Structures are given as structure tokens and as C-alpha cells.
Amino acid sequence: MSSTSDTREAADVIVVGAGLAGLVAAYELTRAGRRVLVVDQENEANLGGQAFWSLGGLFLVGSPEQRRMGIRDSVELAWADWSASAGFDREREDRRPRQWARAYVEFAAGEKRRYLHGLGLRLTPTVGWAERGAGTATGHGNSVPRFHLTWGTGPEVVRVFEEPVRAAAERGLVAFRHRHRVDGLVVEGGAVVGVRGSVLAPSTLPRGAASSREAVGEFELRAQAVVVTSGGIGGDQATVRRNWPVERMGPPPESMITGVPAHVDGRMLRITEEAGGSLVNRDRMWHYTEGIRNWDPIWPDHAIRIIPGPSSLWLDATGRRLPAPLFPGHDTLATLRHILSTGHAHSWFVLTRSIVEKEFALSGSEQNPDITGKDLRMVLARVRGGAPGPVQAFLDQGEDFVVRQSLRELVDGMNALTPEAPLDHGRVEAEVVARDREVGNPYCKDLQLMAVRNARSYWPDKITRVARPHRLLDPAHGPLIAVRLHVLTRKTLGGLETDLDSRVLRSDGSPFDGLYAAGEVAGFGGGGMHGYNALEGTFLGGCVFSGRAAGRALARSLA
């Protein structure tokens, strides 16, 4: 194994991680004429990291898109929703996250849209309501729709930063060191002055595929400062289980599927903490309950999340309906806690062809080729009816989908998927029939049907997203469909403690000289600006906000 000490780049700043937060930090630094070295353990195909795979949703407050939809929003309402969702309750560990959260809400209501629009990012005209919350005005969730979908999804969010960073590379301001895995920070005189690590064997694998960890060399690189933007722990289930919040959620599920590539391994969290950085709120994390196995996987245990409308009947593994207000698209972590309390890791959606055609969306840029490819004709095809192509592919080939004409046949098919937890047809039938009895009038005591009708009062949802209420057993809306749902790992909500300039702090609250962090590795800012719960559409924006803060602070302070 060869050993090298390379200082020839003479970089001002080393950015560890070539994901969205790293690209934003590099963009801001190069705007100020600073020289940046971007170090990443994956190959060039993975530039942009997890953001490339995202649906591209952005949390905005009081936007022109909202106003055109007739939505009245404000900083005060958004902050009330954020605070209620976050549930900040730790005197020391939540001090910085509170500051970051307030600053981010104000950014989302102010400069965020202008900043991204100036880079060329555009939004679709309708505003989504991705998670409606816990059912009370003081509980978790968005009071109004705030999910702004990027025209071009995640790849477009990456592009608007990648292109100027590549242009800066052509001017000699940026250099990339792919397949360079950081194994430690170089600390001298109490300050971070560089990174050291292993050169990994070259890889030509496509984006997202798990790559070799064979080391073929060593390196050491130095600069005035280091920005860590390496992401969270969602790709490493062992680390997820070690950090699992047992006291709040109970034991971790026996089985999970993985919503992010394998390189999202959390290594830099451990490395930075060992060097002296403060790591807080490590037990806070965000995992989804509507995961399905990808029939065409890219990374190990590749999971896709269903972004459901509100109409599917949600049953636990024993066939009992989930209690109100644990409906599709409402309160993710409360639903996760309830599902795990049953002693099983899976649950079921029961629905009709009419519901799947109108309400099922799949998270991920590759699952939405029309919006990702900016193909207006394909987008308009969604309105004409029928299941979108990617959804139909899962209906045809997904191992978690059961399609049958009768309820008895459906339950038999469900039991074939989970023989270890067989469902009783009588119990499932009782839940379905009870729900169907409530559909006959425009008013009822069923809170889920009330939520469906409330959703249809928002006209974009009525037109494009929420099916007309109907009986599940009405053959005119068939066939019947069941979907086995898994727990899907996704986001790390805790992380490295940072101040509002993205400087990493030590455990005593003092800045760690020369060290900055942004994106998921910093809990998207401060070590956990979401608190216990995240409002949808805030992850990409958190990477942009914290990466921007790091880049601008360093641009001001470097010699």
C-alpha cells in the first residue's frame, strides 16, 4: 500500500463529502474566489449524493405558489408548526437546534426561493401537503400545504450547484478527489488543519451502487479549514440500531429496508466526535413506515417510499385498523411507534384500483421520470387517469403487492406473503365493511373519511391527488389491492453541534477551530434543527441552508 502526503492543491478549504451540502459550500466559497478541494469516498458518478435520488420537495412559507393556491401562510404559523413538531426539550443539546430552526423558517419565508430561483431552479405550480400531522392544532404537522416540488426533482437541485462548481473547477478553484475515504482529521494546536485517509480502489460502478472498500493507498491533505458534509447513518442498519430511541419507540424492528445508498454510513460522525467535536441528539432519527422493496434495486435492500394520499385503509400485521389519527400521510413517527408496538415490523394498505391510480406517488427522482425529465406531456398524462408507469411497474412486479378480485382472495394473497403472521379473513372483512358503511353520506363519524373530504376541499388535491370517497368493496372501483409496508431507514435528525456559521463546537460549547459541518451530518444545522419530528420538504433545504452558511462564513473569515 502506497503512502502519500499531498499539499500541492494549496486549497483554502477541504470539503469532505460531495453531496448537496458540500456542493453548496463549495459554490459559496468559489464565489468569493476561495480554492476548494472536495474529497469523497465514492466515484464521480455519485456527485450530488442522496439529493440526486430525492423527489426534490422544498419547504417554503408564504410563496407565490401558495398564494396562487389560495393558501394563507406566515412565519408565525410555520414557526408554530415547526416548534410543535420538533418538541425541543433538552436544555443544552437543543439550544443551537432552536436557533437554527428559527433561522431556517425565516429563510424559507424569505430569501430561500429567491436564492434558488436565481440559480435557475424552478417549481411546479401546485403545492403539496405531504404530511398533515397529528390531528390537533398544537401537534405535529403542517397546518397548510408547503411541499413545493422542484421541476426536475433532485437531479435539478443538484445541477444548479454542480454546474457552477464544475465551472469553478475549470478556472482552477476546485479540485475533486474521488475514492478518497477520510479516516481521520489532522489536528494541530487545537485546530483542524487537514484530513488523512485511504485511497480506495478505482470504481466504475453506476451511481448508488455499493462500491469496494479495498484500500490501495493513503493520503494526507491540508488546508486552512475543513467542512464535513458527509451525510447521516441511514445506509448502515447496524448504526441505526445502536442509536435507536428504545425509550420512545421501543426496540428497533427485526427487519428494515434501506432508503439511502450504502455509502451513507455515518463514519464522519464517529471520526469527528473522536477528534473532539460535539455530537448531540444521536437518538433522533426519521424513518418511514410506507416502504416497499424495489423490484429493480440499485443498492442493498433498496427501499422505495410510497407517498400516499389519505384514502387507503391501514391495517397492522394482525389485521386491525390503525387508530385515529394514524392515517396515510399524517404522522410518520407516531405511526411507526404504533406499528412496532404490535410486535411486528410490517403493516398493510388495503385499497382499490381507483385509489392507487390517483393517490399513489413514489418518492425518488427515478420513480418520477416525467417531472425529473421535465416532460410536460408525461405529466399531463397523470391527469388523464390510470396508474403512473412506475406505480404500474410495482403493481406488476413488486413483491409487496397483491391484486385480487375478492376480499377473500386478497387476504389469501396477503397470507402467502407473510405466513409467519397470518391474517384472519373475518377480522379484515369486519374492518373493511365498517369503513364502507360510513361512505354513504357526505358526513360521518369516521375520522379518516372526514380527513379525506377535508383534503378534497383543497382543490389541487381534489383534482390530482385524492380519490373520491367510495366503498372498497365496490366492484366498479376494483380490483382490490393490498400492499405490504416495511420500515424504511432514511434520515439522521441529530448530528454535529454547530453554531449559526456552521462551526463545529466542542462539548464545552467553544468553537473547534478550523472545523465546520453542514447538511445531515450536522442534523441539518446545530445538531438537530428538526428536533424529534421533521416537516416534509425540509431535508434538501436544510442542506442548502447549512452549506450556504458554512461557505459564506469561511469566505468572510479566511486569511
Side-chain angles (χ1 to χ4, degrees):
M1 181 181 293
S2 62
S3 177
T4 63
S5 180
D6 190 350
T7 59
R8 289 172 295 172
E9 315 312 325
D12 296 312
V13 178
I14 295 170
V15 174
V16 181
L20 177 60
L23 289 175
V24 175
Y27 165 71
E28 290 291 344
L29 283 160
T30 57
R31 287 181 68 199
R34 303 297 185 178
R35 294 164 298 174
V36 182
L37 181 60
V38 180
V39 178
D40 194 276
Q41 65 182 346
E42 297 305 315
N43 63 15
E44 186 176 3
N46 287 276
L47 200 63
Q50 296 177 67
F52 180 91
W53 300 106
S54 76
L55 186 58
L58 296 170
F59 174 92
L60 294 173
V61 177
S63 69
E65 291 76 19
Q66 286 178 303
R67 290 193 290 273
R68 283 195 290 269
M69 299 295 105
I71 299 165
R72 297 187 181 94
D73 202 3
S74 66
V75 171
E76 291 74 21
L77 182 61
W79 178 240
D81 287 345
W82 193 292
S83 299
S85 298
F88 295 124
D89 60 2
R90 295 171 178 173
E91 183 175 353
R92 197 198 76 76
E93 292 191 343
D94 281 337
R95 177 172 167 249
R96 299 292 183 174
R98 279 193 184 96
Q99 295 173 353
W100 272 91
R102 180 69 194 192
Y104 180 71
V105 169
E106 292 175 355
F107 177 63
E111 191 181 354
K112 181 179 178 181
R113 188 183 183 280
R114 294 192 300 274
Y115 178 70
L116 294 171
H117 191 273
L119 285 160
L121 195 69
R122 298 295 181 264
L123 304 171
T124 60
T126 61
V127 184
W129 206 348
E131 191 170 34
R132 297 160 197 265
T136 66
T138 57
H140 165 64
N142 285 298
S143 294
V144 297
R146 296 191 178 107
F147 191 85
H148 295 67
L149 186 59
T150 301
W151 184 235
T153 70
E156 182 71 358
V157 180
V158 171
R159 182 194 69 80
V160 300
F161 291 101
E162 178 185 347
E163 287 186 354
V165 170
R166 286 194 182 277
E170 293 177 0
R171 302 194 305 271
L173 288 177
V174 177
F176 293 95
R177 286 293 177 266
H178 296 288
R179 301 297 285 163
H180 280 53
R181 182 187 68 198
V182 172
D183 298 324
L185 300 174
V186 180
V187 182
E188 293 179 355
V192 174
V193 297
V195 297
R196 56 175 175 77
S198 303
V199 180
L200 302 180
S203 170
T204 58
L205 290 171
R207 180 189 291 272
S211 62
S212 165
R213 291 296 177 259
E214 178 191 357
V216 297
E218 298 175 347
F219 70 91
E220 182 173 309
L221 300 162
R222 291 179 173 243
Q224 294 185 59
V226 172
V227 185
V228 178
T229 62
S230 54
I233 65 174
D236 184 345
Q237 290 196 13
T239 303
V240 169
R241 292 177 187 280
R242 280 196 301 273
N243 291 344
W244 189 267
V246 175
E247 291 185 1
R248 293 196 312 278
M249 305 297 292
E254 292 184 3
S255 64
M256 296 183 284
I257 51 180
T258 308
V260 294
H263 62 73
V264 186
D265 55 17
R267 292 182 75 256
M268 286 305 300
L269 286 164
R270 173 182 55 79
I271 289 167
T272 307
E273 185 180 29
E274 290 175 351
S278 175
L279 175 58
V280 296
N281 301 314
R282 70 185 78 210
D283 63 318
R284 293 179 182 170
M285 52 186 72
W286 186 261
H287 306 305
Y288 289 110
T289 52
E290 313 98 330
I292 52 177
R293 293 189 182 277
N294 194 347
W295 64 270
D296 186 20
I298 297 169
W299 56 78
D301 290 322
H302 188 167
I304 299 295
R305 184 206 171 195
I306 296 171
I307 305 177
S311 300
S312 296
L313 184 67
W314 204 336
L315 305 179
D316 67 23
T318 72
R320 292 182 175 86
R321 189 176 183 182
L322 269 60
L326 305 185
F327 311 134
H330 277 68
D331 191 336
T332 293
L333 293 191
T335 303
L336 174 60
R337 183 165 51 249
H338 177 80
I339 289 171
L340 296 183
S341 74
T342 68
H344 299 276
H346 72 279
S347 60
W348 295 95
F349 278 166
V350 175
L351 59 152
T352 63
R353 179 77 190 192
S354 295
I355 292 173
V356 82
E357 288 182 354
K358 193 156 189 177
E359 295 196 4
F360 265 35
L362 301 175
S363 183
S365 56
E366 83 284 9
Q367 300 296 330
N368 295 272
D370 50 352
I371 303 172
T372 301
K374 303 180 184 178
D375 189 323
L376 186 58
R377 182 174 295 181
M378 286 180 67
V379 171
L380 293 175
R382 294 191 183 211
V383 182
R384 291 198 294 266
V391 173
Q392 186 62 53
F394 273 93
L395 286 167
D396 295 337
Q397 303 180 70
E399 65 179 79
D400 295 308
F401 286 72
V402 182
V403 183
R404 299 290 189 274
Q405 293 299 324
S406 72
L407 186 61
R408 184 168 293 278
E409 290 174 314
L410 189 76
V411 173
D412 288 344
M414 296 160 76
N415 286 337
L417 288 185
T418 57
E420 75 284 359
L423 295 161
D424 177 72
H425 170 265
R427 174 178 289 170
V428 174
E429 183 181 44
E431 295 285 9
V432 172
V433 170
R435 180 261 182 208
D436 279 3
R437 279 198 301 263
E438 301 295 311
V439 177
N441 293 297
Y443 41 82
C444 64
K445 69 178 181 181
D446 189 293
L447 285 175
Q448 183 176 0
L449 289 172
M450 292 165 66
V452 169
R453 291 189 170 103
N454 178 60
R456 285 174 61 83
S457 69
Y458 175 52
W459 67 264
D461 273 2
K462 181 177 181 178
I463 294 171
T464 67
R465 189 78 173 100
V466 183
R468 182 188 300 273
H470 59 270
R471 293 186 298 111
L472 297 179
L473 297 181
D474 183 347
H477 292 277
L480 287 165
I481 299 167
V483 187
R484 178 179 56 181
L485 305 173
H486 307 263
V487 176
L488 175 161
T489 66
R490 184 57 64 87
K491 292 298 180 186
T492 311
L493 298 188
L496 298 173
E497 190 177 13
T498 58
D499 65 14
L500 287 174
D501 283 333
S502 289
R503 296 184 299 177
V504 174
L505 305 178
R506 295 181 179 274
S507 58
D508 64 2
S510 63
F512 196 157
D513 289 345
L515 186 60
Y516 293 69
E520 189 175 355
V521 76
F524 302 92
M529 72 175 187
H530 297 95
Y532 291 97
N533 287 286
L535 295 177
E536 294 285 358
T538 58
F539 295 136
L540 287 180
C543 289
V544 171
F545 186 51
S546 56
R548 176 177 176 267
R552 290 188 173 187
L554 278 164
R556 293 191 304 267
S557 64
L558 291 181

